[in-house]
Amino acid sequence: MGLFSWLFQWFGGSGSRSDGNPSDSNGVSVSRSPEEFREQHNSIPAHSRPHDSVATQPPLNSHRHSNSGDQDQPTLEKARRPWSEPRLRTSRLDELQARRRKRRTEFLEVAGASPYRFARFGSRTGQYLDFSQDGDDARLRQRGLPVFHTPEQLAEWLGLPLNKVAWLIHRFSSGKPASPQLAHYHYMWRKKKSGGVRLIESPKQLLKQVQIRILREILDHVSAHPSAHGFIANRSIRTNAIPHVGQEIVVKFDLSNFYATVGFSRVVAIFRSLGYSRESAIWLGMLTTSALPGNMPFDRSTLYSMLPYLRRHLPQGAPTSPALANLSAYRLDARLTGLARSFHAQFTRYADDLTISGTKDLGPGLRTLIPLVEQIIRRERFRSQVQKRQVLRSHQRLAVAGVVVNVRPNVSRESFDRLKAILTNCIRLGPSTQNRDEVGDFAAHLRGRIAHVTQLNPSRGSKLLALFQRIDWRR
């Protein structure tokens, strides 16, 4: 039996007639007229009729030549398929979430005057769009967050004129500064230790004050995932390292351009999830993100590094960026925590440093664990630096975000010896001879490094503090 004959029988046919027209198992020719087909079909008892299929139906275009008043005429909608099409069935939870998202994105089209200042104009409908009606005041009050819906209410909460707030988000220049001089950020390129450059965007005074208020009165009231330890109150590099102390295998991942990866739409979605209307979320997102001007000067060494910063993103240097980055990575933290738990391992994240650790039983599962982690990172719209990925064993120095965790949280021996040598030379030769990087407040700089060591190892920190107190700062 040929392949095509077998396929024909599979789809409902049994062969071909002598005249070349295919027929079904009851001898009904496909090329018959609709009237002949109906007579032949009705003459067969109902219990013995075959299931209708494409092969047993009259031609789909036969209704063009029949009487238009015949209501029993077979149509394309009535023709059944010989196989059932697979369909993705949504769960009840998916339907509720989709309904909730649709309700949140509803907006009103207002004819005539603008519903509020700086309302957006619908180019297709020719009417103003009111994005201020889809907020959730109950959720905002439950979290203790300020309630506002329109740009005027936002400006009133900030204590600034509305035109000044619009100027901060470049409302009059298409949302992007026309030049670096007109931007509200100071731009500085810093070289990375691993190679390449990083853009530091420090907000100017007025925008910084606005961002600090957004941080203190909005973002500080929203908790990050328990696995996140960077830039969070009562969490530090020490709390990030404690879950990995004494583990035999440590796997480290690094996210590439962590802040620049978080775009404007994700920031707006964070404010929307808190309960703010779409209009308020857009303005808050514009106040906490940045975009490089199109005429930003660059050289060949920074051309490729500029690409992630051309779109609107979280600026590294703004006070609100760490909190927003932690909130944008909430799903990433939750998924990696669950994945690590399934391997009986521990997971923590400090900014862009991801760490998973476990006992020696974790070793055979690394072939499965590492690709799954990389897949989750991509699915959550982040990027992993494969060249920085490390798998460390207990016979090596296990360092998590700069903290040694072989036996207890500790500072590396090299860092301690280097700082001790600097303090000793400050005593012998004077502090001015050791400030090679020309730090503005060298005493505060050394005091901060000593506090870092004390946090991890109090005994070593006390020794360094004793040396610091012997320095003559007049030299």
Side-chain angles (χ1 to χ4, degrees), residues 217-428:
E217 301 190 23
I218 297 179
L219 299 178
D220 282 350
H221 293 266
V222 186
S223 300
H225 194 272
S227 298
H229 294 265
F231 313 104
I232 302 175
N234 302 322
R235 304 183 199 178
S236 62
I237 57 173
R238 179 180 176 84
T239 61
N240 179 71
I242 287 177
H244 309 290
V245 173
Q247 301 289 352
E248 299 187 16
I249 298 178
V250 173
V251 187
K252 301 197 299 183
F253 302 85
D254 189 86
L255 300 180
S256 175
N257 291 323
F258 181 46
Y259 290 102
T261 305
V262 182
F264 173 71
S265 60
R266 297 178 72 168
V267 176
V268 173
I270 291 174
F271 288 112
R272 293 280 288 135
S273 65
L274 300 181
Y276 285 103
S277 64
R278 192 192 303 189
E279 189 69 47
S280 300
I282 291 175
W283 282 68
L284 289 172
M286 295 291 289
L287 288 170
T288 54
T289 56
S290 170
L292 289 182
N295 56 355
M296 179 78 176
F298 63 91
D299 53 26
R300 294 183 179 180
S301 62
T302 61
L303 176 59
Y304 180 78
S305 301
M306 281 182 60
L307 297 181
Y309 303 99
L310 293 179
R311 67 165 190 165
R312 185 161 285 275
H313 60 278
L314 283 183
Q316 184 169 355
T320 52
S321 293
L324 289 171
N326 283 330
L327 294 177
S328 68
Y330 194 98
R331 279 175 49 91
L332 174 69
D333 296 336
R335 296 184 66 180
L336 292 182
T337 299
L339 177 65
R341 188 180 295 116
S342 65
F343 282 84
H344 304 285
Q346 307 290 328
F347 166 77
T348 61
R349 179 181 62 83
Y350 190 90
D352 56 354
D353 293 331
L354 314 179
T355 307
I356 297 178
S357 65
T359 62
K360 61 181 180 181
D361 297 334
L362 182 62
L366 291 180
R367 289 187 176 183
T368 305
L369 175 65
I370 293 177
L372 287 177
V373 173
E374 297 286 351
Q375 180 181 3
I376 291 176
I377 291 174
R378 290 193 301 270
R379 291 288 179 86
E380 295 302 322
R381 296 179 293 172
F382 290 100
R383 302 187 186 94
S384 175
Q385 296 192 55
V386 181
Q387 64 274 16
K388 287 189 175 183
R389 189 175 64 202
Q390 290 182 312
V391 178
L392 304 176
R393 309 282 177 169
S394 57
H395 64 275
Q396 301 173 287
R397 186 179 71 182
L398 304 180
V400 177
V403 180
V404 180
V405 294
N406 288 74
V407 179
R408 60 179 181 178
N410 202 352
V411 66
S412 64
R413 186 70 188 184
E414 292 82 357
S415 300
F416 172 75
D417 291 341
R418 188 181 304 111
L419 182 55
K420 182 180 178 181
I422 293 176
L423 295 174
T424 303
N425 290 333
C426 286
I427 297 173
R428 298 172 56 186

